[in-house]
Amino acid sequence: MSAQIIDGFEIARQERERVARETALLKEKGITPCLAVILVGENPASVSYVTGKEKALAEVGMKDKSIRLPESTTEQELLKIIDELNNDKSVHGILVQLPLPKHIDEEKVIMAISPEKDVDGFHPVSVGNMMIGKKSYLPCTPHGVLVLLKTMNIETNGKHAVIVGRSNIVGKPLAILLARKEANSTVTICHTGTKDIASFTKQADILIAAVGRPNTITADMVKPGATVIDVGVNRIPDDTKKSGFRLVGDVDFDSVKEVASFITPVPRGVGPMTIAMLMHNTLEAALNTLEEK
Ligand code: L34
């Protein structure tokens, strides 16, 4: 029997609908949530993701203060813009799309964003608060994965979650979130230093691939009946497509779907959830200013 496909596109749409309703209520109180998405350069994948974020902002009724900067932008110029946005009371959230051009220090840039406006949840203050279970902006992709599991009624309590990939954006925070009491999973992190990755992935009730390399997870690595979440978004050259490429995840979808019980597709799986959870965080950021008053 073939796995049930987790419709991230539809679940993200429902999330945005909920955020739109709450945004409308907040606007009645005189506050319009506002996000500034900063894109430096023209990396085609980043342009696509940032465009998706801008579309979502319009859809949920938020204000869009996004800024597109040339590849040649200096670190100092970028830091100055962030500083201005930090001090702009009308802006609730700031996000700098990664990766940045090589001549800009990503860590420095992330550190420059005021933690109150860090809707990505990448600032050390946000990461630290999440780590110790204090209220914080949850990083959008890991949060999106949790919402997918919850919406599909997939049990996490007492389950073994195996995460392949240890990035600061996905693998590490997702491990923390799944190990928290609320999710209560037992977590294993696999990475490039892991010997015999398959021996771990085969034990997974919930298998999460966040590597950024196609076909990393094949059917023989998956326990029958497992839930497989594919966080990878890889562009593969494809002459039959108008764009010249197609999107694939880290999971060999066609073979793995015959073994798993639930699986996310790429596209229309985790990707749209990342954007939906960003809308959620921006709403939170605006609500937080209401509490300060
Ligand atoms: N600062 N940088 C910062 N924050 C983030 O949260 C991100 N990320 C990752 C890359 N850099 C970032 C994103 O926005 C990945 N990411 C992201 C966002 C949206 C989608 C995928 C990744 C998405 O919408 N994917 C669609 C297909 C989009 C397309 O056609 O290109 C999907 O259905 O998977």
Side-chain angles (χ1 to χ4, degrees):
M1 218 182 59
S2 197
Q4 191 176 335
I5 294 174
I6 301 175
D7 188 348
F9 189 80
E10 171 58 21
I11 297 170
R13 194 191 60 74
Q14 290 167 14
E15 275 300 310
R16 292 196 306 273
E17 220 168 66
R18 179 185 58 75
V19 172
R21 278 196 303 273
E22 291 178 37
T23 298
L25 291 176
L26 188 57
K27 282 162 107 170
E28 283 174 16
K29 293 182 183 160
I31 297 178
T32 303
C34 171
L35 175 67
V37 179
I38 305 173
L39 175 62
V40 184
E42 280 157 28
N43 175 318
S46 296
V47 170
S48 164
Y49 304 156
V50 167
T51 304
K53 290 172 185 186
E54 290 171 343
K55 268 169 76 179
L57 283 171
E59 190 194 310
V60 301
M62 291 181 182
K63 202 158 169 236
D64 182 0
K65 275 227 177 160
S66 294
I67 302 171
R68 298 201 180 196
L69 300 167
E71 178 85 20
S72 59
T73 305
T74 66
E75 184 177 282
Q76 204 185 354
E77 285 168 336
L78 180 56
L79 291 172
K80 182 158 177 280
I81 289 169
I82 291 171
D83 189 50
E84 284 162 9
L85 292 168
N86 280 340
N87 291 311
D88 183 340
K89 278 221 174 344
S90 72
V91 174
H92 302 103
I94 304 168
L95 178 154
V96 180
Q97 189 71 18
L98 303 178
L100 284 168
K102 288 205 177 25
H103 62 273
I104 301 178
D105 183 349
E106 280 184 1
E107 207 178 282
K108 230 185 204 172
V109 169
I110 290 170
M111 299 267 282
I113 297 169
S114 161
E116 287 80 41
K117 302 191 180 187
D118 174 35
V119 288
D120 254 337
F122 292 171
H123 190 284
V125 167
S126 306
V127 178
N129 281 331
M130 180 195 67
M131 185 77 142
I132 61 176
K134 279 179 68 174
K135 200 169 172 290
S136 67
Y137 298 114
L138 299 183
C140 300
T141 304
H143 193 192
V145 171
L146 293 190
V147 171
L148 286 180
L149 294 173
K150 188 154 221 162
T151 306
M152 298 306 290
N153 290 314
I154 293 162
E155 184 66 81
T156 55
N157 187 358
K159 300 298 178 188
H160 186 191
V162 176
I163 299 167
V164 186
R166 60 177 155 193
S167 69
N168 288 337
I169 295 187
V170 183
K172 274 192 267 182
L174 192 48
I176 301 298
L177 292 172
L178 281 166
R180 296 206 302 198
K181 267 255 166 62
E182 297 98 300
N184 221 27
S185 296
T186 303
V187 177
T188 300
I189 304 179
C190 298
H191 44 74
T192 45
T194 304
K195 290 187 179 122
D196 192 7
I197 283 192
S199 71
F200 294 97
T201 59
K202 272 193 264 188
Q203 299 176 43
D205 302 307
I206 299 167
L207 177 57
I208 293 155
V211 182
R213 196 187 63 202
N215 292 317
T216 303
I217 306 296
T218 48
D220 56 303
M221 298 168 73
V222 179
K223 178 164 86 172
T227 292
V228 179
I229 306 288
D230 191 351
V231 182
V233 197
N234 307 294
R235 293 184 162 208
I236 303 283
D238 186 341
D239 291 340
T240 70
K241 296 272 155 91
K242 227 184 8 201
S243 60
F245 69 88
R246 72 194 147 89
L247 291 176
V248 300
D250 295 344
V251 174
D252 177 23
F253 182 84
D254 289 336
S255 74
V256 171
K257 80 173 194 306
E258 300 304 325
V259 183
S261 65
F262 289 93
I263 189 166
T264 62
V266 177
R268 295 178 151 247
V270 175
M273 292 303 293
T274 297
I275 297 181
M277 301 330 291
L278 175 64
M279 299 301 113
H280 169 88
N281 281 354
T282 305
L283 174 65
E284 286 287 303
L287 283 169
N288 287 342
T289 63
L290 194 66
E291 279 162 23
E292 279 166 19
K293 278 191 181 159

